C-alpha cells in the first residue's frame, strides 16, 4: 500500500464519518440539554428533538397560557430562487403562488403526477424571486427534477438555518420586550426581518398551535444568541421550552395534519392503497383548478369528476376522556369505517377529540352512527371500549387571539 | 385564413401517414415541416457536387402493406426482393435470396437446412409479436376488448402449434441472439449476419441479454406479405418521400415546408395549437407530434404543462444513436471480392462472425467507436441512376458502432473513424479507395443536426424491451395520446417503433379518428 492509496482510503473513511453521529444535534441543543429534566428525546428527521423537557402538561399550558419556545430547526427547509421561481413553484404546488405576496406565507401541499400528496408545508415568499419551503420530508431529487425547463436555483438549507417557534398568548410580549420593534404590525402569515447581533432574523406570524405565535429563522451561527435574547425577555412572561408532545396536542386542537402521521406521503408509502389525494386528507381547498397547470392537476380533477376518491379526513369528537389514538372507527359498531390517526383529550376545549381517515362512503354519505373502539392498556390488560363518535368541524379550538392585530399581551 | 382540425408537426413519413389517414377520415389537416422538403429521414441531399444521397434509410423492409394501400401510396418495385450477401474478406460469399434467405448460396447443405429451421422458428415467433403492431399497445388499467382479442389471438397461435412451441417462445423471447445462433448454426459468417441484423441501430451487442428482440423486430416486417423481405422502390429510395407527399396532397393535406414549430400551445393540460418560429400562432383542437418524443415534451411543450414524473420519464428515454451513415461518391462501380454480380443491387453485409460484432460493441459501452466495425452497404445509384453522374456510383453504408457520446468528441473522432471504415472497405473491395471522389460520414451527432433527431437515433429511442409496447416512449404516453389532451405522438418514438413502416403515424391517426379518450 502506497501513500496515495492510503490517503484515498482515509478520504473514504472520512466520508463515512456521518455514521459516528447517528442523531444530529440542532443549533439549540446546548440550551435544550441544559433545561431537559426528563431526557425524553425522539428522532425528528435525523435530529435529536425533545418529546418533552420538563413536564408535558406544564408545556401544554405554556402554549395556551403564556409563551412556549419550540425548536423547529429539524424542519426540512429549501431555498428556491431565480427568475422562474414563482412559475416553478406554481407548477410544483397546489395553490396559486402568483397570489402570494412578498413577505407573506401560505400553507400548501404538492403532489406527484397521479395527484398523490408528496408532502404539505409552508411556502415563504421572501422576495419577488425568492422563496423558502418548509416541510416534513426530504424532496431534493423531486425538486431538482421539477426544475427542468425553469431558471431556478434550489438549495437545501435545513442545516444552516435554525428555527424557533414562539407560541402562546404572551409570545408577542416576549418579542416586544426582546426589542423586536414593529413586530406588532405583523398580521397572520406576514413576514418581516429584524436586526439581530449584526445580522438578521426573519420573523413570521405563523405556527402549528392555532394560537398567537411566531416563527423565527436565523443562520446557525446566531442561533444561541437568539435563544438567549428571547429567554431573557421571556422570563417575566413565563416562557417555557417545550417538546413535541405538548405541541402535538395543540396542533390536534387546531386541526392540523402531520405528514406520515395523519397520511402517508406518496414517496414513503410502500402499499399502493396508502397514498392520498388532497381531497382525501382535507386539503381540497388548496387545489386551484383555475391557475396554470400543476403536478397532479389532471388526476385530481379526474378523480373529482369520476367520483373515484376513496378516503376522507374528518374531525371526531368522542365521548369520554380516553384518547382514541389509532383506534378503529366503526359504522353502527359493526362495519369498519376507518382509523383514528391522531387523538387527544383537549384541555382547552374540554372535549375528547380526534382526526380520522375514513373510507368513503363513511364520512361522506354515512356520517351518523359512528363509533371508535378504544383499547386502553390497564395493568397488562386491554380494556376495550366502544365509544360514540361524532363528526365535527375542525379546528376543535379556535382562538380569537390567533388573528387579532395588533396582538394582545397576555 | 383556413382553419384546421389537426396540425401535424413533422413531415417525415410517419407524419405524412398520420396526416393522410386523418384527411381521409374527413379532417382538415396542416403539416408543418422545418426542413425545405418533406421526407424526414428519407429526405435526400446532395453530399458532393453531382452526387446525391437518398437519406438515412437505404432499403425498405417493413413498409406496412395495409398502410400503403389505405393512404394510397404509389410505390412500386416490391415484387423484386433484394438479396443479402455476407462478405468476410475471404472472397467466399454467402447470399441470402428471397425474403430473408428463403434460399441460401455459399454454405453447406446441412447449414442450409439448419438456417431454414431457424428462420422458420424465428418467423413463427416474430409473427406472434406482429399481431401487436397494427394497434395501439394495450393500456394498463384500461384493457379493451380489442386488446384482449389480440392477446387471445397471440395465445391461440402459440397453442395451435403445441405446448412445446409456446414454451420455446417464452424461453427465447428475451434471449441473446448469439446463443440462439449457436443453437442452430455452425457457420460463423451466418451467425455474424444474424448478430448484425439483431443489433443494427440498437445499443446492444449480440451477447447482451434480449438482443434477439432486434431480430424479431426485423422479422415483424414484410414486403408484399413476405416476411423479412427487402426492396428498393422503382426510382430508388429518393422516390419514397415524394410518394408520401403526393398521397397526402391527394387526400387534401396542406403541407408547409421551411416552417419550423417553436412551441406547442398548451394550457392546463389541453393543447390548442402551435406557435411557429416566426411567432405566428396556428390553432387546432388536435396537435399530432410526428417528431421525437423528447423534442415534443422537453422543447416544444412548456415543461410546466407536464408533470414532473412524466418529464422525468421522457428525459430517461434512451435515445443515443450507435450508427454512422457513410455516403461515398465513386468514379466507378466498386468491385467487392466474391460478390456475385446479381447480388450487387442488394444488401452487402461486411461481417466475419458474431464475435466480431460483439468485439465491435465493446468500445461503444465506454464511449469509443469500434476499431473493427461492421456495416451494411448498398449501391443506391444502381437502382436510381439520377443519384450519380453517368458511369459513376454512390455507396451507402450503415456502420456500427459509433456511439453518439464519443468520449474523445466527434470533431477528433470522425476523421479517425472514417479512416478505419475506408480500410474495412478497401479490404473487401480492393481499389475502392482510389475510386473515391468524395466521402461523407454522418456520425450520430451529424444525424441529430441534419434530421432534428435527438441523439441521432433513427428509431427515436432504443428498441429494447423496456422501451417497447406499453412503455414506448414511456408509460403515460404509450397509446398515442399523451398526458396533454389533444396532443398525440405519431413518430417512430411511439409504438411500434422505427423503420419505414408508416405504422406509428397511421395507428396514431386511427386512434384519433376513433374518438377514444382512453
Amino acid at each position: 500500500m502506497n501513500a496515495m492509496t492510503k490517503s484515498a482510503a482515509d478520504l473514504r473513511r472520512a466520508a463515512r464519518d456521518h455514521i459516528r453521529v447517528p442523531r444530529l444535534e440542532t443549533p439549540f441543543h446546548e440550551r435544550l440539554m441544559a433545561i431537559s429534566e426528563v431526557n425524553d428525546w425522539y428522532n425528528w428527521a435525523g435530529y435529536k428533538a425533545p418529546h418533552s423537557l420538563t413536564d408535558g402538561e406544564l408545556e401544554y399550558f405554556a402554549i395556551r397560557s403564556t409563551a412556549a419556545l419550540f425548536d423547529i430547526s429539524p424542519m426540512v427547509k429549501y431555498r428556491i430562487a431565480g427568475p422562474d421561481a414563482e412559475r416553478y413553484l406554481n407548477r410544483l404546488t397546489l395553490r396559486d403562488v402568483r397570489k402570494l405576496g412578498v413577505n407573506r406565507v401560505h400553507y400548501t401541499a404538492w403532489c406527484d403526477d397521479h395527484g398523490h400528496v408528496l408532502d404539505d408545508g409552508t411556502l415563504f415568499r421572501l422576495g419577488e424571486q425568492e422563496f423558502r419551503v418548509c416541510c416534513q420530508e426530504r424532496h431534493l431529487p423531486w425538486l431538482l427534477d421539477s426544475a427542468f425547463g425553469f431558471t431556478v436555483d434550489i438549495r437545501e438549507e435545513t442545516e444552516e438555518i435554525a428555527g424557533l417557534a414562539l407560541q402562546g398568548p404572551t409570545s408577542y410580549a416576549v418579542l416586544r420586550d426582546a426589542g423586536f420593534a414593529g413586530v406588532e404590525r405583523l398580521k397572520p402569515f406576514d413576514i418581516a426581518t429584524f436586526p439581530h447581533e449584526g445580522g438578521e432574523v426573519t420573523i413570521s406570524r405563523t405556527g402549528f398551535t392555532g394560537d398567537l405565535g411566531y416563527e423565527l429563522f436565523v443562520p446557525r451561527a446566531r442561533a444561541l444568541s437568539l435563544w438567549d435574547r428571547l429567554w431573557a425577555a421571556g422570563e417575566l412572561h413565563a416562557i417555557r421550552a417545550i417538546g413535541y408532545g405538548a405541541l402535538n396536542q395543540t396542533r390536534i386542537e387546531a386541526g392540523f395534519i402531520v405528514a406520515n402521521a395523519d397520511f402517508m406521503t406518496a414517496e414513503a408509502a410502500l402499499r399502493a392503497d396508502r397514498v392520498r389525494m388532497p381531497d382525501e386528507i382535507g386539503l381540497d381547498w388548496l387545489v386551484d383548478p383555475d391557475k396554470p397547470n400543476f403536478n397532479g392537476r389532471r388526476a385530481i380533477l379526474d378523480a373529482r369528476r369520476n367520483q373515484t376518491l376513496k378516503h376522507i379526513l374528518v374531525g371526531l369528537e368522542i365521548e369520554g376522556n380516553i384518547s382514541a389514538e389509532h383506534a378503529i372507527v366503526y359504522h353502527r359498531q359493526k362495519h369498519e369505517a376507518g382509523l383514528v390517526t391522531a387523538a387527544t383529550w383537549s384541555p382547552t376545549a374540554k372535549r375528547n377529540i380526534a382526526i380520522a381517515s375514513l373510507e368513503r362512503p363513511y364520512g361522506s354519505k354515512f356520517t351518523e352512527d359512528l363509533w371508535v373502539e378504544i383499547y386502553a392498556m390497564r395493568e397488562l390488560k386491554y380494556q376495550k371500549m366502544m365509544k360514540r363518535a361524532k363528526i365535527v368541524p375542525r379546528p376543535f379550538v379556535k382562538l380569537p387571539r390567533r388573528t387579532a392585530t395588533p396582538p394582545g399581551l397576555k | 385564413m383556413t382553419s384546421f382540425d389537426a396540425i401535424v408537426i413533422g413531415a417525415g413519413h410517419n407524419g405524412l401517414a398520420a396526416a393522410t389517414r386523418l384527411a381521409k377520415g374527413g379532417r382538415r389537416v396542416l403539416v408543418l415541416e422545418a426542413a425545405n422538403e418533406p421526407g424526414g429521414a428519407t429526405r435526400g441531399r446532395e453530399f458532393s457536387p453531382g452526387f446525391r444521397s437518398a437519406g438515412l434509410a437505404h432499403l425498405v423492409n417493413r413498409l406496412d402493406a395495409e398502410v400503403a394501400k389505405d393512404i394510397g401510396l404509389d410505390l412500386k418495385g416490391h415484387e423484386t426482393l433484394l438479396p443479402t450477401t455476407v462478405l468476410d474478406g475471404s472472397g467466399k460469399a454467402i447470399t441470402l435470396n428471397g425474403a430473408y434467405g428463403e434460399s441460401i448460396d455459399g454454405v453447406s447443405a446441412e447449414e442450409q437446412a439448419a438456417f431454414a429451421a431457424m428462420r422458420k422458428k424465428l418467423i413463427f415467433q416474430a409473427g406472434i409479436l406482429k399481431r401487436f403492431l397494427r394497434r395501439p399497445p394495450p393500456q394498463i388499467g384500461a384493457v379493451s376488448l380489442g386488446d384482449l382479442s389480440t392477446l387471445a389471438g397471440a395465445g391461440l397461435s402459440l397453442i395451435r402449434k403445441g405446448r412445446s412451441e409456446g414454451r420455446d417462445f417464452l424461453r427465447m423471447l428475451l434471449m441473446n441472439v448469439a446463443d440462439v445462433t449457436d443453437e442452430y448454426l455452425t457457420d460463423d459468417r451466418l451467425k455474424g449476419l444474424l448478430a448484425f441484423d439483431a443489433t443494427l441501430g440498437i445499443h446492444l451487442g449480440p451477447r447482451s441479454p434480449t438482443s434477439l428482440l432486434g431480430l424479431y423486430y426485423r422479422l415483424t416486417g414484410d414486403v408484399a406479405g413476405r416476411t423479412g423481405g427487402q426492396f428498393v422502390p422503382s426510382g430508388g429510395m429518393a422516390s419514397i418521400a415524394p410518394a408520401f407527399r403526393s398521397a397526402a396532397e391527394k387526400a387534401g393535406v396542406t403541407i408547409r415546408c421551411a416552417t419550423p414549430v417553436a412551441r406547442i400551445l398548451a394550457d392546463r393540460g389541453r393543447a390548442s395549437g402551435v406557435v411557429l418560429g416566426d411567432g405566428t400562432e396556428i390553432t387546432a383542437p388536435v396537435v399530432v407530434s410526428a417528431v421525437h418524443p423528447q423534442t415534443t415534451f422537453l422543447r416544444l411543450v412548456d415543461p410546466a404543462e407536464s408533470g414532473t414524473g412524466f418529464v422525468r420519464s421522457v428525459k430517461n428515454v434512451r435515445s443515443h444513436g450507435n450508427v454512422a451513415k457513410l455516403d461515398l461518391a465513386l468514379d466507378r462501380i466498386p468491385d467487392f471480392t466474391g460478390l456475385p454480380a446479381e447480388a450487387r443491387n442488394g444488401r452487402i453485409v461486411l461481417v466475419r462472425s458474431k464475435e466480431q460484432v460483439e468485439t465491435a460493441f465493446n468500445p461503444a459501452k465506454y464511449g469509443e467507436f469500434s476499431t473493427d466495425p461492421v456495416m451494411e452497404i448498398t449501391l443506391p445509384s444502381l437502382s436510381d441512376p439520377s443519384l450519380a453522374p453517368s458511369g459513376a456510383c454512390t455507396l451507402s453504408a450503415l456502420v456500427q458502432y459509433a456511439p453518439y457520446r464519443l468520449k474523445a468528441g466527434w470533431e477528433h473522432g470522425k476523421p479517425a473513424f472514417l479512416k478505419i471504415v475506408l480500410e474495412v472497405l478497401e479490404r473487401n473491395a480492393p481499389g475502392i479507395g482510389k475510386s473515391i471522389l468524395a466521402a461523407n460520414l454522418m456520425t450520430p451527432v451529424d444525424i441529430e443536426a441534419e434530421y432534428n433527431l435527438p441523439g441521432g437515433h433513427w428509431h427515436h429511442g432504443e428498441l429494447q424491451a423496456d422501451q417497447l409496447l406499453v412503455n414506448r416512449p414511456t408509460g403515460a404516453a404509450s397509446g398515442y395520446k399523451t398526458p396533454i389532451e389533444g396532443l398525440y405522438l405519431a413518430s417512430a418514438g411511439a409504438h411500434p417503433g422505427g423503420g419505414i413502416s408508416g405504422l406509428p403515424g397511421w395507428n396514431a391517426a386511427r386512434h384519433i379518428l376513433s374518438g377514444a379518450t382512453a
Side-chain angles (χ1 to χ4, degrees):
Chain A
M1 194 192 271
N2 62 31
M4 287 294 286
T5 57
K6 206 169 171 183
S7 89
D10 284 346
L11 281 171
R12 274 202 306 280
R13 213 164 290 130
R16 281 201 303 262
D17 217 38
H18 65 284
I19 61 166
R20 291 177 202 279
V21 190
R23 291 277 176 280
L24 297 172
E25 291 173 353
T26 79
F28 301 109
H29 188 74
E30 234 180 288
R31 297 292 181 272
L32 295 170
M33 202 58 192
I35 295 167
S36 176
E37 290 175 6
V38 292
N39 255 320
D40 184 6
W41 307 95
Y42 78 109
N43 172 12
W44 177 4
Y47 285 87
K48 206 183 280 182
H51 191 261
S52 79
L53 290 160
T54 50
D55 176 89
E57 210 162 324
L58 292 177
E59 290 170 27
Y60 169 86
F61 281 106
I63 302 172
R64 290 291 181 233
S65 307
T66 58
L69 200 53
F70 182 65
D71 178 6
I72 53 172
S73 306
M75 198 159 60
V76 177
K77 297 174 282 285
Y78 296 105
R79 180 69 69 114
I80 292 160
D84 287 338
E86 179 188 276
R87 218 166 61 81
Y88 165 83
L89 284 161
N90 223 15
R91 189 284 207 101
L92 184 80
T93 64
L94 298 177
R95 285 178 84 173
D96 194 342
V97 181
R98 295 173 305 180
K99 293 180 183 162
L100 180 65
V102 174
N103 284 325
R104 291 284 295 165
V105 184
H106 72 201
Y107 171 66
T108 189
W110 47 102
C111 295
D112 63 15
D113 291 24
H114 311 290
H116 297 137
V117 179
L118 288 164
D119 208 348
D120 63 343
T122 41
L123 180 62
F124 291 66
R125 186 162 202 163
L126 304 173
E128 195 54 50
Q129 300 187 0
E130 191 152 9
F131 295 83
R132 173 180 290 147
V133 173
C134 293
C135 54
Q136 185 74 13
E137 298 297 318
R138 289 192 150 76
H139 300 285
L140 198 56
W142 181 259
L143 298 183
L144 292 177
D145 282 358
S146 298
F148 177 85
F150 298 90
T151 308
V152 66
D153 182 59
I154 297 157
R155 216 154 40 80
E156 166 149 12
E157 54 178 19
T158 307
E159 278 204 53
E160 55 204 80
I161 301 293
L164 279 175
L166 178 65
Q167 304 278 307
T170 67
S171 54
Y172 160 63
V174 174
L175 289 179
R176 184 197 60 178
D177 291 356
F180 294 109
V183 80
E184 70 279 1
R185 285 194 294 273
L186 288 183
K187 293 197 268 303
F189 299 108
D190 274 352
I191 305 172
T193 53
F194 298 87
H196 174 68
E197 293 278 312
E200 269 188 347
V201 53
T202 302
I203 303 183
S204 56
R205 191 166 163 186
T206 49
F208 208 49
T209 59
D211 216 304
L212 171 64
Y214 301 85
E215 287 172 325
L216 299 85
F217 295 94
V218 71
R220 192 181 181 101
R222 282 186 276 276
L224 290 178
S225 62
L226 177 67
W227 177 285
D228 295 341
R229 184 173 169 182
L230 297 174
W231 201 253
E235 211 178 339
L236 288 173
H237 301 289
I239 196 170
R240 179 183 285 276
I242 63 157
Y244 183 70
L247 183 90
N248 190 41
Q249 258 183 302
T250 56
R251 73 94 184 170
I252 297 171
E253 289 181 328
F256 297 140
I257 54 171
V258 172
N260 289 322
D262 295 287
F263 69 96
M264 291 302 297
T265 56
E267 279 185 329
L270 298 177
R271 295 163 181 83
D273 63 341
R274 302 300 202 270
V275 291
R276 292 291 182 269
M277 286 191 155
D279 299 43
E280 297 177 311
I281 54 173
L283 301 186
D284 42 334
W285 62 280
L286 298 178
V287 178
D288 187 344
D290 299 324
K291 76 166 201 171
N293 188 60
F294 54 92
N295 281 337
R297 181 182 188 277
R298 186 171 176 176
I300 294 165
L301 298 186
D302 281 355
R304 285 179 179 180
R305 196 177 47 251
N306 303 329
Q307 301 193 359
T308 52
L309 294 160
K310 288 194 183 68
H311 299 90
I312 189 167
L313 190 108
V314 296
L316 292 180
E317 186 179 335
I318 298 163
E319 65 173 330
N321 62 4
I322 318 263
S323 166
E325 199 169 19
H326 294 155
I328 294 175
V329 182
Y330 290 93
H331 181 237
R332 295 185 174 159
Q333 301 195 39
K334 216 164 59 196
H335 304 287
E336 211 174 300
L339 182 85
V340 170
T341 54
T344 187
W345 166 259
S346 163
T348 302
K350 305 279 187 290
R351 293 192 290 165
N352 195 22
I353 59 173
I355 295 169
S357 172
L358 304 186
E359 202 162 327
R360 296 172 196 238
Y362 302 114
S364 55
K365 196 167 151 211
F366 303 130
T367 54
E368 304 291 323
D369 212 355
L370 294 174
W371 300 78
V372 296
E373 190 176 38
I374 303 172
Y375 280 65
M377 179 66 94
R378 297 286 181 261
E379 297 181 336
L380 290 186
K381 198 170 173 186
Y382 275 122
Q383 221 156 300
K384 220 166 87 178
M385 289 163 273
M386 194 59 104
K387 295 287 186 187
R388 195 175 275 282
K390 196 174 86 183
I391 294 178
V392 295
R394 292 177 294 148
F396 304 98
V397 169
K398 199 169 179 183
L399 300 165
R401 65 174 176 253
R402 186 182 83 83
T403 50
T405 308
L409 289 166
K410 56 183 189 210
Chain B
M1 190 173 152
T2 336
S3 71
F4 294 95
D5 299 319
I7 296 169
V8 176
I9 304 170
H13 82 279
N14 275 311
L16 293 173
T20 310
R21 180 81 282 267
L22 286 172
K24 291 196 158 208
R27 307 288 173 97
R28 285 161 301 172
V29 186
L30 171 66
V31 178
L32 299 170
E33 167 58 44
N36 290 325
E37 287 166 65
T42 62
R43 193 177 70 240
R45 56 194 187 92
E46 189 173 58
F47 66 93
S48 173
F51 291 89
R52 289 186 62 81
S53 161
L56 273 188
H58 56 203
L59 283 165
V60 184
N61 58 15
R62 56 184 316 110
L63 179 62
D64 190 273
E66 198 179 332
V67 173
K69 189 171 161 229
D70 179 67
I71 65 173
L73 195 66
D74 186 21
L75 271 185
K76 292 194 175 54
H78 41 68
E79 50 296 321
T80 313
L81 296 189
L82 297 174
T84 294
T85 303
V86 187
L87 297 178
D88 70 345
S90 68
K92 285 182 222 141
I94 299 179
T95 300
L96 279 68
N97 303 305
Y100 212 73
E102 284 167 298
S103 71
I104 314 187
D105 302 328
V107 292
S108 66
E110 296 82 38
E111 191 69 356
Q112 285 178 25
F115 181 83
M118 177 180 194
R119 181 178 175 279
K120 191 177 162 206
K121 171 76 82 177
L122 292 176
I123 286 177
F124 164 69
Q125 295 183 339
I128 291 163
L129 301 173
K130 195 173 176 175
R131 293 167 176 271
F132 294 94
L133 298 193
R134 274 201 203 131
R135 46 178 298 114
Q139 292 302 291
I140 289 173
V143 175
S144 72
L145 219 60
D147 294 331
L148 289 177
S149 88
T150 310
L151 285 168
L156 274 176
S157 65
L158 265 178
I159 298 166
R160 218 182 44 217
K161 288 246 184 176
R163 187 176 290 179
S164 64
E165 277 296 350
R167 200 166 276 166
D168 219 22
F169 176 66
L170 295 177
R171 179 183 74 90
M172 291 171 68
L173 186 61
L174 298 179
M175 269 180 79
N176 75 59
V177 66
D179 287 342
V180 174
T181 61
D182 276 341
E183 285 182 15
Y184 284 88
L185 306 174
T186 50
D187 192 297
D188 280 344
R189 297 166 298 170
L190 259 189
K191 293 181 188 179
L193 171 70
L194 292 165
F196 177 81
D197 281 351
T199 56
L200 181 64
I202 300 173
H203 186 71
L204 290 178
R207 288 222 166 274
S208 310
T210 73
S211 61
L212 184 62
L213 283 177
L215 194 54
Y216 282 142
Y217 188 70
R218 178 178 284 260
L219 295 177
T220 55
D222 64 58
V223 173
R226 296 170 71 186
T227 299
Q230 57 192 2
F231 79 107
V232 169
S234 341
M237 293 297 287
S239 61
I240 292 175
F244 273 95
R245 175 190 206 147
S246 82
E249 282 171 347
K250 223 180 262 173
V253 173
T254 309
I255 303 172
R256 276 190 215 152
C257 292
T259 313
V261 170
R263 276 190 306 125
I264 293 172
L265 287 167
D267 179 30
R268 281 167 289 181
R270 182 90 185 72
S272 58
V274 297
V275 180
L276 303 181
D278 64 8
T280 315
E281 271 189 33
I282 308 177
T283 58
V286 168
V287 177
V288 182
S289 179
V291 299
H292 198 294
Q294 287 176 325
T295 308
T296 308
F297 285 106
L298 304 182
R299 260 188 41 211
L300 297 182
V301 176
D302 180 352
E305 285 298 325
S306 303
T308 297
F310 181 70
V311 169
R312 196 187 249 171
S313 69
V314 172
K315 281 174 73 183
N316 286 342
V317 168
R318 288 169 295 117
S319 184
H320 288 174
N322 278 286
V323 183
K325 170 78 195 299
L326 175 70
D327 285 297
L328 289 184
L330 305 170
D331 63 13
R332 65 190 113 107
I333 297 169
D335 193 9
F336 283 90
T337 314
L339 179 71
E342 64 277 13
R344 218 167 49 174
N345 62 341
R347 180 168 73 121
I348 303 157
V349 178
L350 303 187
V351 65
R352 297 189 302 273
S353 62
K354 65 180 192 298
E355 285 73 21
Q356 188 201 354
V357 184
E358 183 69 23
T359 310
F361 175 59
N362 287 341
K365 291 186 277 192
Y366 309 108
E368 293 160 19
F369 55 69
S370 311
T371 51
D372 183 15
V374 285
M375 66 188 81
E376 71 167 36
I377 295 165
T378 63
L379 303 173
S381 63
L382 295 187
S383 49
D384 179 5
S386 74
L387 296 176
S390 158
C393 183
T394 61
L395 177 148
S396 164
L398 295 173
V399 190
Q400 75 178 17
Y401 294 82
Y404 172 69
R405 282 260 161 82
L406 194 73
K407 217 159 48 186
W410 275 113
E411 322 77 269
H412 293 101
K414 196 157 129 175
F417 191 56
L418 177 61
K419 187 163 170 278
I420 289 171
V421 174
L422 294 180
E423 279 165 11
V424 175
L425 284 170
E426 185 69 31
R427 276 204 300 276
N428 286 277
I432 193 172
K434 288 203 196 78
S435 72
I436 296 174
L437 300 172
N440 183 265
L441 182 71
M442 292 182 90
T443 68
V445 170
D446 301 320
I447 292 170
E448 176 179 57
E450 174 74 22
Y451 296 105
N452 287 324
L453 275 177
H457 200 300
W458 73 60
H459 289 307
H460 292 204
E462 281 287 304
L463 276 179
Q464 289 189 38
D466 61 314
Q467 293 192 170
L468 292 175
L469 278 165
V470 296
N471 290 312
R472 188 158 191 90
T474 176
S478 64
Y480 306 109
K481 68 172 181 21
T482 69
I484 293 171
E485 234 178 295
L487 175 61
Y488 299 85
L489 295 182
S491 83
H495 173 77
I500 301 170
S501 71
L503 279 170
W506 190 70
N507 281 355
R510 291 212 307 166
H511 176 76
I512 294 163
L513 291 170
S514 76
T517 51

